[in-house]
Amino acid sequence: MGNATLWLYFVLVFGIIALPGLDMAYVLANALTGGSKAGLAAVAGIVAGGICHIAMGALGVAAIVRLWPALFNLLLVAGAAYIGWIGWHLLRAGATRLEVRTEASAQPASSVFLKGMATCLLNPKAYVFMLAVFPQFLKPAEGPIWAQATALGLITAGTQAGVYGGVALLAQRAGGSLAASGLATRAVGMLLVGTGVFTVVQGWQA
């Protein structure tokens, strides 16, 4: 696999990851309401989910979605509903003037990690990528598929960690002054609910 191919893959992956979606919204929510520890735990979960997507792509599991389109729609609704549910709880917390959780009182990092992994695995954008883009970079004539998938997986994981990690750190710093008044809680709740609705509408139109 040549350097030009890897660079092209990186550009595509970076563009897709940098585009706001369910994964970024989840990282943003945790960074604003739980601090840098929660934000980075969310990033780790998203990266773990991305690694699972790469493994499924390499093994051809993503082809099931192509053979059974209804499964994609189910994933779309499930992912959007999950993000919307998180947003609704944040909105309720803001409406009742609950204090935003600090790093000391935030939910365990392991819980944030697992929910981040679930968010990534339920993200329909990832399945579109695995069906439309990833297979084009696996060339049986250029060596073992597992070796090529590993190289592409490292690029994906590194890009996710860089982009989402930056979002988590910036959000944690920017959200400090807003958190005390509960504005961050309500704002992120509205963002997540809106993201969920937009995802469903976008999928319906497609």
Side-chain angles (χ1 to χ4, degrees), residues 108-131:
S110 59
S111 176
V112 177
F113 172 87
L114 291 175
K115 290 179 180 178
M117 188 172 178
T119 298
C120 184
L121 291 175
L122 290 172
N123 190 345
K125 184 171 69 174
Y127 289 92
V128 172
F129 176 81
M130 297 310 301
L131 287 171

Side-chain angles (χ1 to χ4, degrees), residues 9 12-13 16 128-138:
Y9 180 80
L12 290 172
V13 167
I16 292 173
V128 172
F129 176 81
M130 297 310 301
L131 287 171
V133 179
F134 188 76
Q136 300 181 31
F137 289 87
L138 297 178

Side-chain angles (χ1 to χ4, degrees), residues 138-160:
L138 297 178
K139 309 293 184 182
E142 297 184 9
I145 293 297
W146 67 266
Q148 297 180 52
T150 299
L152 298 178
L154 290 174
I155 293 175
T156 303
T159 306
Q160 285 179 316

Side-chain angles (χ1 to χ4, degrees), residues 11 42 53 74 96 106 128 140 143 145 158 179:
V11 170
H53 280 302
L74 182 62
T96 54
V128 172
I145 293 297

Side-chain angles (χ1 to χ4, degrees), residues 29-42:
N30 280 278
L32 284 174
T33 61
S36 59
K37 182 178 179 180
L40 294 178

